[in-house]
Every structure is written in C-alpha cells, then in structure tokens.
Amino acid sequence: TNTEAVRKVVRARRFLYEKLAELRKFGLSLQHASCLLRTATAGDITFAQSCHLFPGAFLKELDATLLVENNKLINISQQEHDGLGVAKDRWFLPFRMGGHGLHSATVSGPAIFLSSWVRSLPGIASRNDYTSPADLLTCVPSLRQALNQAEQRLATLGVTQLSSLEEAIEEKAKFQAKRWKSEAYSRIATCISSGAPGHTIIAMEE
C-alpha cells in the first residue's frame, strides 16, 4: 500500500477529518459536517478506484477509520456503536436502504474499478492500435489479472450477475458499477435483517 495513490487518499482524508473538527468548533452545524464527510469520502475513493485496484486490507482500514471519525463527529460512543451488533453495518448502506450513507471503499472498490476499465478498454485499444480489447488484455496480462481479481472480489461480496470480461465489454453498460454495488448492498441488508433483533434494526434506522 506504499504507493503515491494510496498516500494521496490517506493525506486527503486526514486533512478532511482535522478540518471538519476545527470547523465544528467555529459553528459548522452537525448536519453540514456529516454531509461534507459523506460527500468527500465518497468522491475521493470513487475517483481513485477508477484506475487503481487497492489491496483489500487497505480498503478495510479506510472504512474502519472513516467509521471512527464519523462516530466522533456525531458523538456516538464505542459502547453505543458496539451495541448495534450486526446492524452497525448500516452505517455504510445507502439512505434508501435505511443506512447512514457512508461510502464503503471495500464494497464499491471492485465495482468501480471493473466498470471503469470495461467502459474504457475499447477506446484504449483503438487508440493504441490493438485489434480489440481482448487483444489488449492478452498483450497486457497484468491488467487482465487485476480485472479478474476485481471480479473475484465482487463474487465474494455476493454479486451474482457477473458476465465474463468479454461480455461485459460488449455490453457497454453505463451503470454496471451501480448495479453491482446495489446487489452487494442488498446482500448486506439481508444479512442484517436476518441476524439483528428488531429493536436494534429500528434504532439504527432512527
């Protein structure tokens, strides 16, 4: 994880956390601070993961740190957080699914990376005189390996509607990442609903 792309994300987030804490002292409302936290940490990692497939351990660390900073910002103690049980995963679910809207780098990473490359491969192949995207992937095995790794991560997250790389490229679906992430989030929500007591689920939604 010792790459410039990783260091940029870590530096930017550290600056964000410090700045929000400082702004809160000078009167920034909790609502605005929370909104800024969600928006900024969704934008930075979406941009970075469009071309980088970061190590899974690094993404989990990013998510864990984001959750700690979020809880400090909105004054949620560790005891309160731990008391949520499996429902604590709702912090990273979209609002429409009863979550808090934090952007999980772990869930979104492989979908963003794979869909970005799938959409871009035809143009890259054409501009660099490859006969097809498949020809490009054959000539650059490290890229195919990274794309296959992203596919494996999506499958681990519970995404079942996966095409082969060749089929995905032909599909040229603009919203592939959104579809894959939605499926992963649906699986998380189902796990929460089946494993959390009713009062815990209601408390988290509130």
Side-chain angles (χ1 to χ4, degrees):
T1 58
N2 189 27
T3 67
E4 184 57 26
V6 167
R7 290 192 292 270
K8 281 183 178 180
V9 173
V10 172
R11 285 196 302 267
R13 290 206 168 185
R14 187 181 302 119
F15 175 80
L16 171 69
Y17 300 146
E18 293 172 354
K19 184 59 65 175
L20 285 177
E22 184 179 344
L23 289 172
R24 283 283 290 142
K25 294 177 182 177
F26 286 93
L28 181 67
S29 72
L30 179 57
Q31 181 179 6
H32 282 102
S34 183
C35 181
L36 286 170
L37 179 70
R38 291 194 302 268
T39 302
T41 54
D44 66 353
I45 202 63
T46 297
F47 177 77
Q49 290 184 124
S50 295
C51 53
H52 298 283
L53 185 64
F54 292 121
F58 169 66
L59 299 181
K60 289 180 180 178
E61 183 182 342
L62 270 185
D63 285 348
T65 304
L66 172 57
L67 191 52
V68 168
E69 295 297 333
N70 173 75
N71 288 353
K72 283 198 296 188
L73 185 67
I74 61 178
N75 198 28
I76 297 291
S77 69
Q78 189 63 45
Q79 182 178 4
E80 289 175 299
H81 174 75
D82 293 341
L84 293 169
V86 295
K88 61 180 176 289
D89 289 337
R90 283 192 181 274
W91 290 117
F92 288 105
L93 286 179
F95 287 123
R96 69 178 185 279
M97 301 179 75
H100 184 66
L102 292 178
H103 191 90
S104 170
T106 304
V107 173
S108 67
I112 293 170
F113 177 81
L114 187 58
S115 66
S116 174
W117 275 101
V118 161
R119 292 197 307 271
S120 302
L121 277 173
I124 295 173
S126 175
R127 287 192 295 273
N128 290 277
D129 299 323
Y130 290 98
T131 57
S132 67
D135 181 33
L136 168 59
L137 292 175
T138 300
C139 294
V140 189
S142 58
L143 176 56
R144 176 177 279 279
Q145 183 180 8
L147 295 174
N148 287 337
Q149 186 179 351
E151 285 184 303
Q152 292 168 6
R153 289 191 192 178
L154 283 172
T156 301
L157 289 168
V159 176
T160 57
Q161 301 300 319
L162 279 172
S163 308
S164 67
L165 278 178
E166 288 72 15
E167 290 173 335
I169 292 169
E170 289 299 321
E171 187 180 357
K172 298 179 182 178
K174 183 178 180 181
F175 299 107
Q176 286 181 108
K178 183 178 181 180
R179 187 176 71 245
W180 292 332
K181 286 190 293 182
S182 293
E183 190 173 353
Y185 284 130
S186 294
R187 185 188 184 195
I188 293 171
T190 299
C191 291
I192 293 171
S193 298
S194 61
H199 71 277
T200 303
I201 295 174
I202 292 171
M204 186 62 189
E205 288 176 341
E206 291 174 348

